[in-house]
Amino acid sequence: MNWLLVIAGAMVGAPLRYLTDRAVQSRHDSVFPWGTFAVNVTGCLLLGLITGAAGPHVQLLLGTGLCGALTTYSTFSYETLRLAETGAGLYALANVGASLVAGLGAAYVGVELAQAV
């Protein structure tokens, strides 16, 4: 039964990631991967909220399933590598630093908000 919850969440998270990434990136005329950055930070915030407030079944559905499919470490890594390879090393460093700081900060805010409610 648990795996069905994960699948159901992922069925929403994967297309949401793709559509959000494309919508955000289309609004920026930059080599910086704003779409991936946005979905990853949003996913960190959501996961913080979910783990701070939800029971185990909701965590499987929304945490593991939805957030797991919404966020993407592989695309973050690939895009960072491509930035470095194409001579945009400062953008690559900015992507790593901003993703780490914003992702951890968003997760912390999510947990704190969940505990405050």
Side-chain angles (χ1 to χ4, degrees):
M1 175 64 178
N2 289 343
W3 60 276
L4 289 174
L5 292 170
V6 175
I7 290 170
M11 287 174 56
V12 174
L16 185 60
R17 171 175 112 38
Y18 175 77
L19 294 171
T20 303
D21 175 66
R22 295 296 82 209
V24 170
Q25 199 62 42
S26 71
R27 288 173 173 75
H28 292 86
D29 187 25
S30 170
V31 296
F32 191 84
W34 288 109
T36 301
F37 180 79
V39 295
N40 284 343
V41 173
T42 301
C44 289
L45 177 65
L46 288 173
L47 189 57
L49 285 166
I50 293 161
T51 57
H57 289 106
V58 175
Q59 287 181 10
L60 284 171
L61 175 70
L62 299 179
T64 305
L66 181 99
C67 290
L70 175 66
T71 60
T72 173
Y73 188 75
S74 58
T75 302
F76 157 76
S77 300
Y78 173 76
E79 289 173 344
T80 302
L81 180 62
R82 294 294 300 153
L83 287 169
E85 289 176 344
T86 60
L90 290 177
Y91 281 107
L93 288 174
N95 191 33
V96 171
S99 293
L100 181 61
V101 170
L104 288 172
Y108 176 79
V109 167
V111 169
E112 291 299 313
L113 284 173
Q115 291 175 350
V117 173

